Amino acid sequence: MSSNKLLKGSLATIVMRLLEERDKMYGYEITQKVKELTAGEIAITEGALYPTLHKLEAEGYLTTETQRVDNRVRKYYSLTKEGNEQARSKVAELEEFLLNLQKVLNPKPGLQ
Amino acid sequence: MTLDNEQISHIKSFIHSRGFETIEVEAEILDHVASAVEEKLAKDTSLNFEEAVSLVHQSFGVMGFSIFEDNIISSLGKQMNHTYLKTLRHTVTSRVLIKVVLTALFTFASLILFANTLEPGIFKIAAYLLLAIIGAIPVISHQKLFKAWGKKSLILGKLLWPFIFGSVCTAYLVQILPESFINTASTSFIIVMAGTSLLLSLGVWTTLNFIDEVYAWTSEKWLKYA
């Protein structure tokens, strides 16, 4: 299992990336999608996901709608216009970081 | 598989027993727990319903369901601050401003009348009562709403009140005035009374519209499902 500490700093980006692909998602669906995409390697806990979702909502990057589904009320999250812009920016930032991290972890031998 | 109504009620009771009874918090916890339970029961047919609920609850860790409530309160609080400022801007830039001015004029005229006809000590009591009653108008006019939803809704029962108290607290401004200051011949006194009247009036009309806006929003998202 990947470390929670490594995941913590990129969770908002992960959530926004998923919502960029899908019109709307609910909390449990997000945890399951990440688990599915990573073959179980990344498991987002409720303690990590919901604070992230609520923070993004408070910052105006996510909007919510509620719907009655089966016999309960479901809260769906989706990106706002600002959220879409932020998602693109954050994903690019994370991708660049990962590229740079690779250079540090797998440095090319220097020319002698 | 989909849980039936009885199972959903059982989970609701379980959530309530942990102290989470408001609609906004209950709904979010319920959907997550129910979805997780459905998945567990679908994957492991040897599990019974109660075992699945227990396992899902354990997966929340030591903090349990409180992670939902704490973060919902934080998020809603920020949204309400934003909505209050938006309502305040609307109050001063729309026709509501006429109502603000008229209410302020009425309050100011009443305060000056009290100051001219009452002893300073009695003036303070009368002024306090007048300002407190006017400040309480948002609560009085929405009494039915608070009675119906005060205990069931986190927003209407808890998060709204700090905004309402702001209006009522203006009444306390009168209490800190020294009795020697209460003199209608004094320009300072007139300015303070005018300022207090305007501040109170602005607070009351903003809060009135704010409560309506928050109720509409909460109703659309949560209350209509209750």
Side-chain angles (χ1 to χ4, degrees):
Chain A
M1 286 277 183
S2 300
S3 170
N4 285 335
K5 286 179 186 172
L6 290 170
L7 182 61
K8 201 176 172 188
S10 47
L11 186 52
T13 307
I14 291 170
V15 167
M16 292 173 91
R17 180 73 185 102
L18 286 175
L19 290 172
E20 216 185 357
E21 292 286 304
R22 304 274 289 267
D23 187 32
K24 59 184 182 186
M25 295 176 81
Y26 56 99
Y28 188 72
E29 189 182 10
I30 293 172
T31 64
Q32 296 307 103
K33 190 66 185 172
V34 170
K35 206 170 165 183
E36 179 198 318
L37 289 171
T38 63
E41 282 300 316
I42 295 179
I44 303 178
T45 62
E46 294 81 4
L49 174 67
Y50 285 97
T52 300
L53 286 172
H54 292 133
K55 185 169 182 282
L56 289 170
E57 189 185 1
E59 288 171 348
Y61 297 131
L62 299 185
T63 186
T64 60
E65 64 173 279
T66 49
Q67 277 178 27
R68 188 170 281 286
V69 171
D70 296 325
N71 39 21
R72 57 198 188 251
V73 175
R74 176 161 289 163
K75 187 174 175 184
Y76 287 95
Y77 294 87
S78 53
L79 288 171
T80 59
K81 189 179 155 203
E82 293 77 19
N84 266 303
E85 289 164 13
Q86 182 74 354
R88 282 191 286 272
S89 160
K90 282 288 180 191
V91 169
E93 192 183 318
L94 185 58
E95 282 174 337
E96 195 182 332
F97 175 74
L98 289 171
L99 275 171
N100 286 322
L101 195 61
Q102 276 284 54
K103 290 175 190 170
V104 172
L105 294 175
N106 298 301
K108 288 181 184 164
L111 293 170
Q112 307 229 339
Chain B
M1 67 151 299
T2 306
L3 299 179
D4 60 36
N5 287 337
E6 196 181 327
Q7 289 169 322
I8 293 291
S9 291
H10 177 91
I11 297 175
K12 262 191 199 175
S13 300
F14 181 78
I15 294 167
H16 293 172
S17 73
R18 295 296 184 279
F20 304 100
E21 295 177 293
T22 57
I23 296 168
E24 298 92 336
V25 179
E26 174 213 273
E28 198 150 6
I29 298 174
L30 176 64
D31 185 46
H32 187 99
V33 170
S35 299
V37 166
E38 283 169 348
E39 202 205 347
K40 282 207 182 301
L41 291 175
K43 280 187 176 170
D44 184 351
T45 51
S46 67
L47 271 180
N48 66 37
F49 172 71
E50 282 82 14
E51 284 167 344
V53 172
S54 179
L55 281 171
V56 169
H57 184 234
Q58 281 170 38
S59 72
F60 279 73
V62 288
M63 296 300 290
F65 296 147
S66 65
I67 49 164
F68 280 93
E69 188 173 63
D70 294 343
N71 285 286
I72 287 172
I73 288 173
S74 174
S75 171
L76 287 175
K78 286 177 189 167
Q79 287 177 62
M80 288 174 75
N81 285 341
H82 177 76
T83 304
Y84 191 84
L85 289 174
K86 198 179 85 172
T87 312
L88 180 62
R89 267 196 299 274
H90 178 258
T91 303
V92 297
T93 56
S94 70
R95 280 194 275 186
V96 180
L97 190 61
I98 299 171
K99 294 178 187 174
V100 172
V101 170
L102 288 174
T103 308
L105 283 172
F106 166 78
T107 309
F108 175 70
S110 303
L111 289 171
I112 297 303
L113 178 66
F114 289 166
N116 280 331
T117 55
L118 300 172
E119 295 292 323
I122 307 294
F123 164 80
K124 286 177 109 172
I125 296 169
Y128 174 78
L129 286 172
L130 173 72
L131 297 178
I133 289 168
I134 295 173
I137 285 173
V139 176
I140 296 166
S141 63
H142 290 94
Q143 224 177 357
K144 281 186 184 171
L145 186 157
F146 289 122
K147 200 173 173 186
W149 297 108
K151 285 185 183 170
K152 295 177 196 169
S153 164
L154 176 67
I155 293 169
L156 298 175
K158 184 175 174 180
L159 301 181
L160 204 52
W161 286 96
F163 298 94
I164 292 171
F165 275 129
S167 295
V168 179
C169 284
T170 314
Y172 284 100
L173 286 175
V174 173
Q175 295 305 302
I176 61 172
L177 295 175
E179 288 189 10
S180 57
F181 186 73
I182 301 165
N183 177 6
T184 53
S186 160
T187 311
S188 306
F189 176 74
I190 298 293
I191 291 171
V192 169
M193 290 300 103
T196 302
S197 303
L198 189 60
L199 195 66
L200 179 71
S201 179
L202 187 62
V204 165
W205 282 103
T206 302
T207 306
L208 272 168
N209 292 326
F210 174 65
I211 294 173
D212 288 338
E213 176 122 3
V214 169
Y215 174 65
W217 180 81
T218 308
S219 193
E220 175 57 32
K221 279 198 186 269
W222 304 113
L223 305 182
K224 70 182 183 185
Y225 299 111

